[in-house]
Amino acid sequence: MALTTELGRQLQLREVGGILLQAATVDNWSEIQHFEAKPDDLLICTYPKSGTTWIQEIVDMIEQNGDVAKCQRAIIQHRHPFIEWARPPQPSGVEKANTMPSPRTLRTHLPTQLLPPSFWENNCKFLYVARNAKDCMVSYYHFQRMNQVLPDPGTWEEYFETFISGKVGWGSWFDHVKGWWEIKDRYQVLFLFYEDMKRDPKCEIQKVVQFMGKSLDETVLDEIVQETSFEKMKENPMTNRSTVPKFILDQSISPFMRKGTVGDWKNHFTVAQNERFDEIYRQKMEGISINFCMEL
Ligand SMILES: Nc1ncnc2c1ncn2[C@@H]1O[C@H](COP(=O)(O)OS(=O)(=O)O)[C@@H](OP(=O)(O)O)[C@H]1O
């Protein structure tokens, strides 16, 4: 899957182990696989469009004890190195992580089978956020419309097929969520749901605080809930991607902080698409005891 624009090869998605990733990531694959994780690393893991930016801001606010000014030190993409990130001549995610003091918080969209082995060997903490597949698909569709370094998604009908077949960056939603769900009891994994974070942010943030081995005052917790709301993060230039040039993210097509809701799929799926999707979901997630809230 290759496209030609001025950004050239970065628009290509290439396969590693059957998973499509950005070509520059694949070029850098050996460095990524040999990444040396440390036992006190915390890795934020998500399928794309599942609430990565949101959980990053939450984790940073916790790390900074609710000090908003400290969280404004850098744009969110630069605070937690993205392990598979590669866009030469910029430093890669691995290079950035290697120069970071411990304890480090890192992030990835990689499925379990592609994760650098040192994360497992060092028994790192994994913070996984899952979002229901239908809203994920909708969010990813609009993201590919505005993201000029990912393939054009085509029409909604076309994208529906692409997403279901897993021929999108970082692969199939089904395999990704299943993969992380299945290993969660064997490693140090906090498995959260975007929908729970929407319904009761304070409760989910408390889980993260505990998982990180911290304790925070009630007032600090309330501050974190407030500062990490969709409305606040949409206005915050350090989280809303407004500093990313238009030739990469064209927010006039669709904003990065788009709606931040549960159930937007109902505004996109036809009845037939919904029935078909539910059937595919049943087949692919058979035997997996995982329940998503699809509407709030
Ligand atoms: N604070 C907060 N509350 C609720 N929802 C939020 C928040 N921050 C980001 N978002 C929504 O998350 C979607 C983007 O997901 P990611 O950050 O994982 O995107 S990415 O994969 O890192 O590009 C995208 O979802 P959609 O609005 O449905 O497109 C964002 O709007």
Side-chain angles (χ1 to χ4, degrees):
M1 194 181 291
L3 301 181
T4 49
T5 75
E6 63 192 81
L7 283 164
R9 70 193 188 89
Q10 290 185 16
L11 276 169
Q12 298 170 20
L13 291 179
R14 293 221 320 263
E15 276 190 20
V16 172
I19 305 292
L20 287 172
L21 297 172
Q22 286 180 308
T25 297
V26 180
D27 289 345
N28 212 32
W29 197 241
S30 171
E31 182 188 65
I32 295 164
Q33 282 302 292
H34 289 102
F35 175 69
E36 288 180 27
K38 297 178 185 170
D40 56 359
D41 285 343
L42 169 65
L43 184 64
I44 292 173
C45 322
T46 50
Y47 186 76
K49 313 320 293 179
S50 299
T52 325
T53 314
W54 189 9
I55 196 71
Q56 277 186 265
E57 186 70 354
I58 289 170
V59 166
D60 200 27
M61 282 288 281
I62 295 170
E63 276 167 348
Q64 308 304 336
N65 285 310
D67 187 329
V68 179
K70 284 189 182 160
C71 293
Q72 300 278 323
R73 70 194 179 283
I75 54 171
I76 195 94
Q77 308 90 292
H78 289 177
R79 284 185 243 157
H80 306 125
F82 190 28
I83 291 303
E84 61 266 37
W85 178 255
R87 184 174 289 158
Q90 292 173 16
S92 67
V94 168
E95 284 165 343
K96 281 187 186 170
N98 286 343
T99 58
M100 216 180 153
S102 287
R104 306 178 297 185
T105 298
L106 312 167
R107 91 190 130 108
T108 188
H109 288 322
L110 290 172
T112 53
Q113 73 274 22
L114 295 186
L115 198 70
S118 63
F119 281 105
W120 309 118
E121 290 156 9
N122 282 283
N123 193 28
C124 296
K125 282 188 180 173
F126 303 112
L127 177 44
Y128 190 87
V129 179
R131 187 180 192 182
N132 80 77
K134 294 178 187 175
D135 284 337
C136 241
M137 187 195 301
V138 169
S139 183
Y140 213 161
Y141 168 66
H142 291 293
F143 185 62
Q144 285 197 220
R145 288 174 55 235
M146 60 87 89
N147 188 325
Q148 308 302 305
V149 295
L150 285 177
D152 185 322
T155 63
W156 166 249
E157 290 70 27
E158 287 164 347
Y159 193 71
F160 185 87
E161 300 303 326
T162 309
F163 186 92
I164 280 178
S165 67
K167 294 291 176 200
V168 291
W170 291 276
S172 153
W173 178 95
F174 304 97
D175 294 344
H176 202 282
V177 172
K178 263 195 293 193
W180 281 98
W181 181 258
E182 277 167 353
I183 60 92
K184 76 177 171 36
D185 298 329
R186 279 183 281 137
Y187 293 91
Q188 299 192 79
V189 181
L190 178 64
F191 201 103
L192 298 181
F193 293 90
Y194 178 100
E195 296 74 21
D196 291 340
M197 290 166 63
K198 282 295 294 187
R199 192 174 34 226
D200 191 346
K202 192 167 173 180
C203 172
E204 299 312 295
I205 292 171
Q206 262 165 334
K207 289 182 190 168
V208 180
V209 170
Q210 207 175 22
F211 185 64
M212 289 170 68
K214 306 252 183 199
S215 84
L216 295 179
D217 287 347
E218 201 70 10
T219 47
V220 175
L221 263 177
D222 289 335
E223 173 82 359
I224 296 177
V225 171
Q226 227 179 42
E227 285 301 319
T228 58
S229 69
F230 177 76
E231 292 71 24
K232 281 271 190 171
M233 285 182 62
K234 187 177 172 71
E235 293 311 313
N236 180 352
M238 296 300 169
T239 52
N240 67 11
R241 303 292 208 273
S242 55
T243 57
V244 179
K246 197 173 174 178
F247 69 89
I248 298 177
L249 296 184
D250 188 346
Q251 302 216 33
S252 68
I253 297 175
S254 179
F256 182 84
M257 293 285 170
R258 200 181 57 86
K259 288 193 177 174
T261 55
V262 178
D264 191 35
W265 61 271
K266 289 186 204 152
N267 300 315
H268 292 74
F269 281 54
T270 63
V271 172
Q273 279 175 335
N274 193 35
E275 283 171 8
R276 180 148 163 256
F277 189 89
D278 284 348
E279 183 48 37
I280 292 167
Y281 186 94
R282 258 191 298 277
Q283 288 165 16
K284 294 206 185 257
M285 302 299 276
E286 203 183 346
I288 303 289
S289 57
I290 189 167
N291 281 316
F292 285 92
C293 160
M294 306 298 277
E295 50 203 293
L296 274 184

